[in-house]
Amino acid sequence: AQSVTQPDIHITVSEGASLELRCNYSYGATPYLFWYVQSPGQGLQLLLKYFSGDTLVQGIKGFEAEFKRSQSSFNLRKPSVHWSDAAEYFCAVGAAGSARQLTFGSGTQLTVLP
Amino acid sequence: DVKVTQSSRYLVKRTGEKVFLECVQDMDHENMFWYRQDPGLGLRLIYFSYDVKMKEKGDIPEGYSVSREKKERFSLILESASTNQTSMYLCASSFSSLGGTFFGQGTRLTVV
């Protein structure tokens, strides 16, 4: 069975600082990987996704993520955080070829200090 | 833009009531999902449907049922609401994994 671990429950960074949110997955074959963001009281918005090819993927709002097969990781990064990035971030994995279902991590809450 | 609309943002129901949560998507997506979101637990899949009248259990189907009579609409039913079903419920839809999964705004259900 596939699983996702987000080891950081809560991260606090200062505005303008760089950000890295960790995600580790467990899956036997090539995974489909996603990052979603959830602002307070809202649904989830897709930030970026990885299926194959270039292991560094670009997303919306200036985010990027790097797939590292050897480490089973798909960490999310942003070079300079804005106050509006404060939200909860979810990593998810889907099964290649039949990814009707996504398995989500437990989320990382990001606080941005002025 | 893909739109997934949940009929209510907030609901308060009494224990034992039958509760219907409605979801509509406007992009002709084949797949629709109901998730439950609780602090520290992330999103857990309750049920999903890959076609009209088709449904499959997710990870936590107990106490829930679903209905999909039309392609665009997917309903979650709590036959007899209990306080441990107080939660945020998220509906989602997708055509395939390649396009990503799109979520509604969520319904925060409180059972008293």
Side-chain angles (χ1 to χ4, degrees):
Chain A
Q2 58 206 43
S3 66
V4 178
T5 301
Q6 292 180 249
D8 303 307
I9 297 172
H10 195 174
I11 284 183
T12 300
V13 299
S14 297
E15 190 169 17
S18 63
L19 172 70
E20 182 169 29
L21 302 182
R22 297 184 291 166
C23 173
N24 293 99
Y25 69 91
S26 173
Y27 186 65
T30 301
Y32 290 175
L33 295 162
F34 305 82
W35 274 100
Y36 286 84
V37 60
Q38 185 181 34
S39 298
Q42 303 296 315
L44 275 71
Q45 181 183 21
L46 180 64
L47 281 177
L48 48 79
K49 57 191 177 187
Y50 170 79
F51 298 133
S52 64
D54 193 347
T55 55
L56 184 63
V57 294
Q58 302 296 321
I60 62 172
K61 305 186 181 190
F63 285 92
E64 66 179 25
E66 186 171 12
F67 172 60
K68 292 185 177 180
R69 183 186 301 276
S70 62
Q71 298 177 20
S72 297
S73 69
F74 188 57
N75 294 349
L76 182 71
R77 300 194 295 245
K78 187 169 185 178
S80 178
V81 170
H82 188 264
W83 64 266
S84 61
D85 293 324
E88 190 157 21
Y89 292 79
F90 292 93
C91 182
V93 62
S98 182
R100 291 171 177 159
Q101 300 182 54
L102 296 178
T103 299
F104 286 85
S106 55
T108 297
Q109 182 70 47
L110 175 65
T111 297
V112 180
L113 300 177
Chain B
D1 282 353
V2 174
K3 194 161 187 181
V4 180
T5 303
Q6 296 182 229
S7 54
S8 304
R9 291 295 302 275
Y10 301 94
L11 276 179
V12 180
K13 297 293 182 180
R14 295 192 180 278
T15 302
E17 276 193 76
K18 189 169 186 176
V19 181
F20 293 86
L21 302 183
E22 306 286 346
C23 175
V24 177
Q25 50 95 3
D26 65 357
M27 282 302 292
D28 203 33
H29 283 171
E30 297 173 339
N31 306 317
M32 295 190 74
F33 309 84
W34 276 106
Y35 289 91
R36 171 175 171 161
Q37 182 179 18
D38 298 289
L41 298 178
L43 277 73
R44 294 179 291 170
L45 182 65
I46 304 172
Y47 268 98
F48 71 99
S49 168
Y50 52 89
D51 201 352
V52 175
K53 297 190 185 295
M54 304 302 289
K55 61 184 179 184
E56 287 197 25
K57 294 179 180 179
D59 299 322
I60 52 165
E62 296 78 19
Y64 304 94
S65 62
V66 291
S67 172
R68 193 168 182 198
E69 297 296 320
K70 294 184 178 180
K71 191 175 186 178
E72 68 271 18
R73 188 179 298 270
F74 192 37
S75 302
L76 179 69
I77 304 157
L78 287 66
E79 295 290 342
S80 178
S82 64
T83 55
N84 62 14
Q85 292 178 310
T86 291
S87 186
M88 171 72 92
Y89 291 87
L90 292 167
C91 175
S93 72
S94 72
F95 176 66
S96 71
S97 64
L98 296 177
T101 301
F102 296 87
F103 285 82
Q105 296 282 73
T107 296
R108 185 164 294 282
L109 172 67
T110 302
V111 182
V112 297

